[in-house]
Amino acid sequence: MSNARAVTWDQEGVDHVADHDELTQFLHKKPKKGDIITARYMQANVRMKVLDREGNDTSIAEVLGISVEDERRVEEHEGLRKGETVLIPDKDRAFIRYSD
């Protein structure tokens, strides 16, 4: 999917999978097509649906929703738009929210 855009995801102050030693099973589970994952972007929560995988450590995903700090849902935040296709490395995502 060559139209997927690389995004610089938030790192500082974010609950990433790697930050949770007690939840190591999530470190070993890789998202698969159809899974819903989350990440942080410019202090907003971004919910995405995995469309495909690129290599062993990156998801190609469609942005389903963006929630800013006050939990308000928006269509666009700091250049990232709902419906856009993005690349999300496993190291930058938060938990897999929904999976079969």
Side-chain angles (χ1 to χ4, degrees), residues 22-38:
E22 73 277 12
L23 299 173
T24 57
Q25 70 272 16
F26 288 101
L27 289 171
H28 306 292
K29 183 174 182 180
K30 299 286 185 176
K32 60 185 182 305
K33 187 175 181 177
D35 286 353
I36 305 298
I37 59 176
T38 60

Side-chain angles (χ1 to χ4, degrees), residues 32-49:
K32 60 185 182 305
K33 187 175 181 177
D35 286 353
I36 305 298
I37 59 176
T38 60
R40 296 275 295 167
Y41 175 74
M42 304 286 245
Q43 300 180 345
N45 291 316
V46 181
R47 191 176 65 255
M48 296 162 280
K49 181 176 185 175

